[in-house]
Amino acid sequence: MSYQAGAAADGARASFEDATYSKVTWRLLPLLFLCYVASYLDRVNVGFAKLQMLQDLKFSDTVYGLGAGIFFLGYFVFEVPSNMILHKVGARLWIARIMITWGIISGAMAYVTTPEMFYIMRFLLGVAEAGFFPGVILYLTYWYPAARRGKITALFMTGIALSGVIGGPLSGWIMHAMPGVWGHTGWQWMFILEAIPSLILGVMVILYMKDRIRDADWLSEEEKRLLEANISHEESQKEHLSLGAMFANGRVWLGALIYFCFVMGLYGVSFWLPTIIKATGVSDPLNVGLLTAIPYAFAAAAMVLIGRSADARRERRWHVAIPAFIGCIGLLLSTQYGHNTTLAMASLTLASVGILTTLPLFWSLPTAFLSGTAAAAGIALINSLGNLAGFVSPFLVGWLKDATQSTNAGMYVLAASLVIGGLLTLTLPAKLVNR
């Protein structure tokens, strides 16, 4: 075969492969993305409820911070078992179960009246949602090799940003427009109405999702063989750990520590962003909601662009560390401009861009060296331990706010955690994760 003919054949194969992955992406990502938007909205809309809920129920900031964070204790306890079950029974049924149960519990948050009820319902919400995010990350490894997962994971995780873009104005509008309707307050209506999408999407997952490449009746046999061959080739190059060896693997625990540092920043901002904006002098919940959309909109664009850059360059560590440092700078600047809405929003936007960009790119690190059952358990372990920061972060910020009458001290702690996470990322061997 001539050089030209060989080059043409290679080009045709690459074109077919790109077209096949594009087909997979358009089939899987829209539904998974919407599920993540709904899940994240149900998880953090308590940050908007706080604007009215604390006054109505006479809760302190410490009570709120503990309740917001206790979600992650339930999440932590059930995360690894949930992902192991998903690996055995399939993503379709298990993700649908997760979504339907968390939708029911999230809607029931509207009827909380005491701190104890608040704590119990937030804990149960964490139990219900445990396994969704690591389950999807694991599910994507069934379809995409590492070289394509950076962009795909970033696209999926822009659901965090979009939930802020959509959820902020929506939550603000509900709380502005619905008080008194059928005897419910605005924050009660917010919990009830924002739970409905999760229930609908849970049913759609059952009807629409396929567990494995071989089950996909929307792929041709040639397309299935291509995808299966790529996954099989990648799995053969990974270190196949037993479950026990996975728990003894130092890199898994290092990954959990890195993720803990990044999640500290994420939930410090997510749960307190409406409060910080209100403190700049914006009082109407609708206006607070509209302003919260700005940082998330910029973050969504950054997540996709930097994810593409990481895939194109086959470089992971600096693509994680640099956004973490940028997030730190944004948080520090936000403490200096707390009484200037424009400068505070610019600082919080910079912080959100950095923090949210670290998250999808982080997941290209452990999925590059874990496979099989070890991947199911390892991803869940890293996510569950890392998400304990979701308990520590809002509680710590709330406690410091009650103690100092300012969120500044909490922002300093979150900024430091981002720097630590970025530095720890750079200790991972480049040859292990740059795939």
Side-chain angles (χ1 to χ4, degrees):
M1 181 183 293
S2 68
Y3 172 79
Q4 290 84 355
D10 289 343
R13 283 193 294 271
S15 179
F16 175 70
E17 183 169 335
D18 287 343
T20 301
Y21 278 107
S22 178
K23 187 175 180 179
V24 170
T25 298
W26 280 106
R27 175 76 185 200
L28 299 183
L29 259 290
L31 180 58
L32 292 174
F33 178 83
L34 289 174
C35 289
Y36 196 37
V37 170
S39 77
Y40 198 78
L41 182 61
D42 283 349
R43 182 188 299 186
V44 303
N45 58 8
V46 69
F48 277 94
K50 174 184 181 292
L51 300 178
Q52 296 176 348
M53 185 181 185
L54 265 62
Q55 182 176 351
D56 289 350
L57 302 181
K58 311 302 181 197
F59 290 175
S60 69
D61 282 307
T62 302
V63 168
Y64 163 74
L66 179 58
I70 209 168
F71 167 96
F72 294 96
L73 295 184
Y75 198 84
F76 169 76
V77 172
F78 289 92
E79 184 90 323
V80 173
S82 179
N83 228 34
M84 297 297 290
I85 293 171
L86 181 146
H87 189 58
K88 290 185 177 181
V89 308
R92 183 175 66 94
L93 290 177
W94 198 245
I95 289 176
R97 191 284 305 163
I98 289 171
M99 297 199 62
I100 291 169
T101 53
W102 97 48
I104 292 170
I105 295 170
S106 183
M109 283 287 298
Y111 300 101
V112 163
T113 58
T114 67
E116 292 75 20
M117 289 178 65
F118 182 47
Y119 300 151
I120 290 169
M121 294 303 293
R122 288 291 296 177
F123 179 83
L124 291 177
L125 189 64
V127 171
E129 193 183 332
F132 172 76
F133 177 80
V136 172
I137 295 298
L138 178 65
Y139 182 66
L140 293 176
T141 69
Y142 300 159
W143 296 83
Y144 296 94
R148 293 180 180 267
R149 273 202 305 274
K151 181 179 72 174
I152 294 302
T153 306
L155 285 170
F156 167 64
M157 291 190 70
T158 54
I160 295 178
L162 188 65
S163 71
V165 173
I166 296 174
L170 176 62
S171 298
W173 177 81
I174 292 171
M175 292 173 62
H176 174 85
M178 300 293 286
V181 177
W182 292 351
H184 287 65
T185 64
W187 64 268
Q188 287 179 310
W189 275 116
M190 186 199 66
F191 280 127
I192 293 168
L193 295 177
E194 291 182 359
I196 294 172
S198 297
L199 300 174
I200 296 172
L201 288 166
V203 175
M204 289 180 64
V205 165
I206 295 175
L207 299 176
Y208 194 75
M209 203 170 184
K210 299 295 182 183
D211 286 326
R212 300 274 183 172
I213 294 169
R214 188 48 49 183
D215 301 331
D217 52 12
W218 41 272
L219 290 172
S220 69
E221 186 60 33
E222 186 179 5
E223 289 168 336
K224 290 179 184 178
R225 285 199 298 269
L226 168 71
L227 297 174
E228 289 172 337
N230 286 347
I231 295 300
S232 177
H233 174 71
E234 178 169 282
E235 290 296 303
S236 68
Q237 296 182 318
K238 292 181 179 179
E239 183 181 3
H240 289 265
L241 302 174
S242 67
L243 204 55
M246 184 280 299
F247 280 102
N249 189 313
R251 292 193 184 108
V252 172
W253 295 98
L254 176 60
L257 179 58
I258 294 170
Y259 197 54
F260 181 95
C261 291
F262 295 157
V263 173
M264 281 286 288
L266 172 66
Y267 287 113
V269 171
S270 297
F271 285 125
W272 288 93
L273 183 59
T275 299
I276 295 170
I277 292 174
K278 185 178 180 181
T280 68
V282 182
S283 57
D284 190 310
L286 177 58
N287 292 331
V288 172
L290 291 171
L291 286 173
T292 62
I294 295 173
Y296 288 113
F298 279 90
M303 290 166 78
V304 174
L305 291 175
I306 297 176
R308 287 178 177 173
S309 173
D311 280 352
R313 290 170 173 77
R314 299 290 181 93
E315 198 292 318
R316 309 294 173 183
R317 301 183 309 157
W318 285 103
H319 280 80
V320 174
I322 290 175
F325 301 149
I326 291 172
C328 166
I329 293 170
L331 288 178
L332 293 177
L333 289 175
S334 74
T335 66
Q336 303 304 307
Y337 303 116
H339 299 292
N340 184 312
T341 302
T342 301
L343 293 177
M345 287 305 305
S347 302
L348 290 168
T349 298
L350 185 66
S352 299
V353 164
I355 293 167
L356 269 70
T357 299
T358 63
L359 301 174
L361 293 171
F362 165 81
W363 286 108
S364 64
L365 307 178
T367 55
F369 61 84
L370 292 173
S371 65
T373 301
I379 291 169
L381 179 65
I382 290 170
N383 193 61
S384 61
L385 289 171
N387 269 293
L388 282 178
F391 170 74
V392 175
S393 182
F395 174 69
L396 183 62
V397 174
W399 179 76
L400 288 171
K401 185 174 184 294
D402 276 341
T404 66
Q405 304 306 307
S406 171
T407 57
N408 286 358
M411 295 303 106
Y412 295 146
V413 173
L414 303 184
S417 74
L418 292 173
V419 172
I420 294 169
L423 293 174
L424 289 174
T425 299
L426 297 176
T427 67
L428 288 167
K431 64 180 180 180
L432 182 72
V433 297
N434 288 345
R435 298 183 181 180

